[in-house]
Amino acid sequence: MARPWSSTLTTALAGPLAAAAGLAVGHLLAALTSPATSPVLVVGSTVIDRTPTPVKEWAIARFGTDDKAFLVGSVLAVVLLAAVGAGLLARRRPVHGAAALATLACVAAVLALLRPAAGPAAVLPSLAAAVVAAGVLLQLTRLPATARDGSARRAVLLGMGMVALGAAGVGEAGRRTIARRQRSETVALPAPTEPAGPFPAGLDRVVPGITPLRTPTREFYRVDTRLDVPVIDSAGWTLRVDGDVRRPFTLTFDDLLAMPLIERDITLTCVSNSVGGPYAGGARWLGVRLTELLDRAGVGDRADQILSTDVAAMTISTPLALAADGRDAMVAVGMNGAPLPREHGFPARLLVPGLYGFISATKWLTRLTLTTYADQSAYWTDRGWATDAPIKIASRIDIPRPLARLDVGEVVIGGVAWAQGAGGVARVEVSIDGGAWQPARLGPTAGDAYWRQWFLRWNAGPGPHTLSTRVVDAQGHAQTPVRANPFPAGASGLHTIDVTVGS
Ligand SMILES: Nc1nc2c(c(=O)[nH]1)N[C@H]1C(S)=C(S)[C@@H](COP(=O)(O)O)O[C@H]1N2
Ligand SMILES: [Mo]
């Protein structure tokens, strides 16, 4: 006998609706206790940690900072698809279908326990999801199987509609709860003991469309393995310095703020940035000089690595020799004149000028352990990334945009370039259609660890053109044209774009 549409639809939707109800309740429960234990976030984070590096690189390249939305969407799609199966099963054998959904949620519970730094309570949101999903599915199977007459059909629609609305409402409550908790805490930071001095005006107004000399905090790129933003109270936070040191110690946030604070302009970039890519930002940072903390601890003679640990036990390794070579590495508490936003590591993060973020810029920092590369390895080291990765010198064209159509006449080519570690940017050059390297005008400097704006006025004739740029550092090294992928130590090659001039 052919089934009426409503019955087929009911059967297909029952599983996903029940799963959605379970996930929503789990999410809200987690939001109220420990957001990272939400079943969706647990599964998503596990996927992030287990994804092979090439796939991760592809996702970052393809989706940029939306890679997380893409990931959560994929996880939800897979769960809802599996839930369709559970719903179909439930039509004949309600208990089996419910058990299938509960099992699915229990997988999340197990993964929650396996997360680094997870306590036993981490299973609760997933268990709640299991109970709710199974219960809702059992209820839905009780609805009239064939809804031929109007009243039965209404009962089906009403029942399913209530579940859908309930799930959406509870899920939204969870989302809002997390958003509220993530709002920043107001802390007052002391003035720097070593201020950075006035910040130069830059070419921001002179060259419209160029990257601003200082990246507004809200626009600063964000790259990390977290799906949620860790929420740490400054009052309960501590920083432990231990390992191969003579005097291990623990600092509170107030202890840290009582130490001398330096203020520095530093450009941070991500090793996953492609040539000409967006994962770079310049900011004014406030923090305690790293060597101040290391001296206080008295580093032993075996250590060659600073292993830093974040609030969720994620680890980043920094070569001790580079971090302590006199550059202004710091445990930062402030960014652009305000406390660090939660997205960028509140209450404190590590920063080492000249090193890619993945070996230097630990956010939500809780511990600095002096150790050796032989004894302990960090998150990205385990995934094949380099342990020694200075930021490669690079120049990027901001304007014109790639593939732009331009009018004949004067065109301003402009962008930013950086050459940390090698004395800063000495010159930036532009080559048009493979011709001779022409020097660009440089903007003001905010120090060797900072990027520099540049521009060149070009009298553009009609036709297709190729624009290329390179930086030359203070030691005379020109940026290499040899292409390298971001993995394992950062991309190289020249940023080259095509434009068309005239009609
Ligand atoms: N705890 C933690 N810190 C982290 C990361 C992370 O995944 N977890 N990512 C690092 C990487 S790869 C980079 S590039 C920088 C980015 O810092 P931002 O998000 O403030 O720009 O943070 C670093 N610090
Ligand atoms: Mo990064």
Side-chain angles (χ1 to χ4, degrees):
M1 184 187 78
R3 264 172 242 295
W5 70 269
S6 57
S7 164
T8 316
L9 197 69
T10 317
T11 309
L13 282 181
L17 276 178
L23 287 177
V25 169
H27 195 59
L28 178 58
L29 187 60
L32 294 168
T33 53
S34 167
T37 61
S38 160
V40 186
L41 297 181
V42 161
V43 176
S45 307
T46 306
V47 173
I48 290 184
D49 291 352
R50 312 248 157 152
T51 303
T53 299
V55 179
K56 222 183 283 188
E57 283 302 287
W58 169 82
I60 291 178
R62 175 74 184 71
F63 300 102
T65 348
D66 294 335
D67 58 340
K68 287 175 182 157
F70 169 73
L71 173 73
V72 171
S74 310
V75 167
L76 283 176
V78 170
V79 168
L80 293 182
L81 216 67
V84 172
L88 294 178
L89 186 64
R91 193 173 43 159
R92 289 270 143 85
R93 301 166 195 270
V95 175
H96 288 201
L101 270 193
T103 309
L104 215 59
C106 286
V107 171
V110 173
L111 294 179
L113 265 189
L114 293 177
R115 297 298 304 150
V123 298
L124 294 178
S126 297
L127 292 186
V131 172
V132 170
V136 168
L137 186 57
L138 284 178
Q139 286 304 314
L140 287 178
T141 56
R142 300 237 170 89
L143 291 173
T146 51
R148 286 233 174 110
D149 64 285
S151 73
R153 189 174 295 173
R154 265 196 300 282
V156 170
L157 285 178
L158 192 69
M160 303 208 357
M162 269 167 36
V163 173
L165 270 181
V170 172
E172 175 63 12
R175 196 192 62 77
R176 286 194 188 188
T177 306
I178 292 180
R180 188 163 3 93
R181 293 184 58 167
Q182 285 176 349
R183 247 178 253 149
S184 49
E185 182 192 326
T186 20
V187 294
L189 299 180
T193 348
E194 267 182 50
F199 190 76
L203 302 176
D204 304 20
R205 282 167 204 282
V206 187
V207 184
I210 202 170
T211 296
L213 189 54
R214 182 186 288 172
T215 312
T217 302
R218 256 174 298 104
E219 288 161 31
F220 206 95
Y221 80 93
R222 176 185 168 199
V223 170
D224 53 63
T225 60
R226 296 285 303 215
L227 279 172
D228 61 332
V229 179
V231 175
I232 306 175
D233 284 340
S234 67
W237 176 86
T238 55
L239 175 64
R240 173 100 186 131
V241 182
D242 62 5
D244 181 21
V245 296
R246 284 182 288 281
R247 299 171 295 274
F249 61 89
T250 304
L251 292 177
T252 65
F253 192 58
D254 286 339
D255 294 338
L256 190 68
L257 295 190
M259 296 180 73
L261 292 172
I262 59 170
E263 187 181 49
R264 292 293 180 265
D265 298 311
I266 299 170
T267 294
L268 178 65
T269 73
C270 179
V271 70
S272 296
N273 198 34
S274 49
V275 171
Y279 302 139
R284 175 161 283 195
W285 308 89
L286 176 76
V288 172
R289 211 183 243 113
L290 180 63
T291 46
E292 193 103 33
L293 296 167
L294 297 183
D295 290 347
R296 178 158 165 183
V299 176
D301 40 38
R302 269 175 37 78
D304 61 9
Q305 167 184 225
I306 304 173
L307 190 77
S308 44
T309 308
D310 85 355
V311 68
M314 192 268 188
T315 51
I316 283 183
S317 80
T318 309
L320 173 61
L322 296 182
D325 70 356
R327 66 184 84 202
D328 288 321
M330 64 166 98
V331 171
V333 293
M335 178 180 188
N336 292 338
L340 288 176
R342 296 203 186 276
E343 288 79 5
H344 296 290
F346 182 86
R349 75 178 303 172
L350 194 60
L351 267 188
V352 185
L355 301 186
Y356 285 118
F358 82 113
I359 60 158
S360 70
T362 319
K363 305 193 273 189
W364 316 294
L365 179 69
T366 60
R367 190 170 170 197
L368 296 167
T369 305
L370 278 293
T371 178
T372 65
Y373 284 100
D375 284 348
Q376 274 178 286
S377 65
Y379 184 90
W380 277 296
T381 317
D382 293 338
R383 285 157 182 78
W385 291 85
T387 51
D388 186 359
I391 297 177
K392 294 182 180 173
I393 67 172
S395 179
R396 173 176 90 191
I397 301 172
D398 295 332
I399 50 161
R401 306 298 304 159
L403 306 181
R405 298 191 146 270
L406 308 164
D407 293 334
V408 172
E410 188 186 273
V411 168
V412 177
I413 308 168
V416 284
W418 52 90
Q420 294 127 309
V425 173
R427 24 180 228 285
V428 171
E429 298 171 329
V430 176
S431 163
I432 295 156
D433 300 325
W437 287 109
Q438 309 174 38
R441 293 264 305 270
L442 291 181
T445 177
D448 297 354
Y450 209 69
W451 59 15
R452 204 136 168 203
Q453 298 164 314
W454 58 266
F455 72 99
L456 178 78
R457 296 188 201 282
W458 167 45
N459 190 7
H465 295 285
T466 301
L467 313 178
S468 239
T469 178
R470 69 173 188 185
V471 61
V472 179
D473 70 25
Q475 295 168 6
H477 306 118
Q479 178 181 343
T480 177
V482 177
R483 294 208 142 254
N485 287 324
F487 183 81
S492 70
L494 303 183
H495 190 208
T496 301
I497 66 165
D498 293 321
V499 297
T500 309
V501 178
S503 41

